[in-house]
Amino acid sequence: GKEIADLGLDRIRKLADNCTGLQGFFAFNALGGGTGSGAAPVVAATAKRLGALTIAVVTTPFAFEGAVRGAAAAEAMAQLAPSADLLIHVDNDRLATILPPGTSVTETLYAADEVLRQAILGVASLLSSSQLINVDFADLRAVISGAGLGLVAVGRASGPDRASEAARAAISSPLLDIELRQVRGLVYAVQGGPSVSLQEVRRVGDLLAEIADEDAQVIFGASTSDDSFGDEIIVTVIATGFEPPERGGGG
């Protein structure tokens, strides 16, 4: 994979050059094999050198795929980390433990795709919908650039406690096996219809403040639209600068 990517660097650069004003780049790779593990760091490094904010979403193998693939995935992640501004890690073994018994292989792999979809939609949502209090690309770059391990997620809720429920949904990501605490970079936006109240926006902010470091860089956006949202509130969160999950000693 790396050799192929190296040979195709000129084509990759030309493709990027044709994307006038390229600002963001998303890479999705299944690590552990030869192609994704070898190519991902090369492609991400190229995008970053071209000035694009680079977000990588990667999956690592199931344990039953063997130690060789697991070691290859770990090495690829170590090589990819310096080349990606934001790295979102999906552990396939975790998918197997949190999805209902009987979930098909196809549905399990689609769950990993959902993490990528959330990342893309989350970034797009932050940039396109923060009308009352604006979030722009410079804000995202300030928090994401060189951040390392990260989370991009969207929470939605309706009903009397919709603000709290949407915020909690955005910061609880069972697929990613992470615990958000002492987050050092946080971008979030609250979206909804005309009925969104200041108290609800404040409630979202209070809940997110609980996971942030006291010196965290926090950027906030908000927008209200017509009645197309109905009773729903949407909270979009990008969190960076937190520690990876602690692993037990076995047993």
Side-chain angles (χ1 to χ4, degrees), residues 121-168:
L121 288 180
V123 171
S125 175
L126 281 167
L127 292 175
S128 65
S129 59
S130 298
Q131 300 162 349
L132 296 178
I133 303 175
N134 188 52
V135 174
D136 61 23
F137 201 85
D139 293 325
L140 294 187
R141 186 176 288 277
V143 171
I144 293 177
S145 184
L149 189 65
L151 164 76
V152 182
V154 180
R156 317 169 77 105
S158 57
D161 198 26
R162 58 185 183 172
S164 299
E165 292 174 4
R168 292 192 184 102

Side-chain angles (χ1 to χ4, degrees), residues 13-192:
R13 291 191 184 103
K14 288 177 182 177
L15 178 62
D17 288 340
N18 289 333
C19 298
T20 305
L22 178 67
Q23 292 185 310
F25 179 82
F26 287 87
F28 182 58
N29 297 93
L31 302 181
T35 305
S37 297
V42 176
V43 175
T46 302
K48 194 171 182 181
R49 281 198 299 270
L50 291 170
L53 195 62
T54 305
I55 299 174
V57 181
V58 300
T59 63
T60 48
F62 295 100
F64 61 72
E65 295 183 68
V68 173
R69 287 182 67 89
E75 182 180 353
M77 277 191 65
Q79 293 175 355
L80 177 60
S83 302
D85 290 296
L86 189 67
L87 181 62
I88 302 173
H89 172 214
V90 182
D91 184 346
N92 280 348
D93 271 331
R94 180 144 183 92
L95 296 180
T97 62
I98 67 169
L99 294 176
T103 301
S104 71
V105 172
T106 300
E107 290 174 319
T108 300
L109 297 180
Y110 279 159
D113 292 343
E114 175 64 14
V115 177
L116 174 65
R117 189 184 74 87
Q118 288 259 328
I120 295 173
L121 288 180
V123 171
S125 175
L126 281 167
L127 292 175
S128 65
S129 59
S130 298
Q131 300 162 349
L132 296 178
I133 303 175
N134 188 52
V135 174
D136 61 23
F137 201 85
D139 293 325
L140 294 187
R141 186 176 288 277
V143 171
I144 293 177
S145 184
L149 189 65
L151 164 76
V152 182
V154 180
R156 317 169 77 105
S158 57
D161 198 26
R162 58 185 183 172
S164 299
E165 292 174 4
R168 292 192 184 102
I171 60 177
S172 61
S173 186
L175 288 178
L176 300 183
D177 187 22
I178 55 178
E179 179 185 356
L180 293 179
R181 50 192 170 85
Q182 295 184 314
V183 169
R184 293 186 289 276
L186 184 65
V187 183
Y188 72 97
V190 181
Q191 299 169 251

Side-chain angles (χ1 to χ4, degrees), residues 175-246:
L175 288 178
L176 300 183
D177 187 22
I178 55 178
E179 179 185 356
L180 293 179
R181 50 192 170 85
Q182 295 184 314
V183 169
R184 293 186 289 276
L186 184 65
V187 183
Y188 72 97
V190 181
Q191 299 169 251
S195 64
V196 174
S197 69
L198 177 61
Q199 288 74 21
E200 287 177 314
V201 173
R202 180 176 180 178
R203 179 59 179 154
V204 170
D206 288 345
L207 284 171
L208 295 181
E210 293 176 5
I211 65 167
D213 185 84
E214 61 179 10
D215 296 321
Q217 181 175 12
V218 179
I219 296 171
F220 160 66
S223 70
T224 59
S225 187
D226 54 29
D227 292 327
S228 60
F229 280 92
D231 187 42
E232 191 173 57
I233 276 184
I234 300 175
V235 176
T236 304
V237 172
I238 297 179
T240 66
F242 51 88
E243 297 299 321
E246 296 179 1

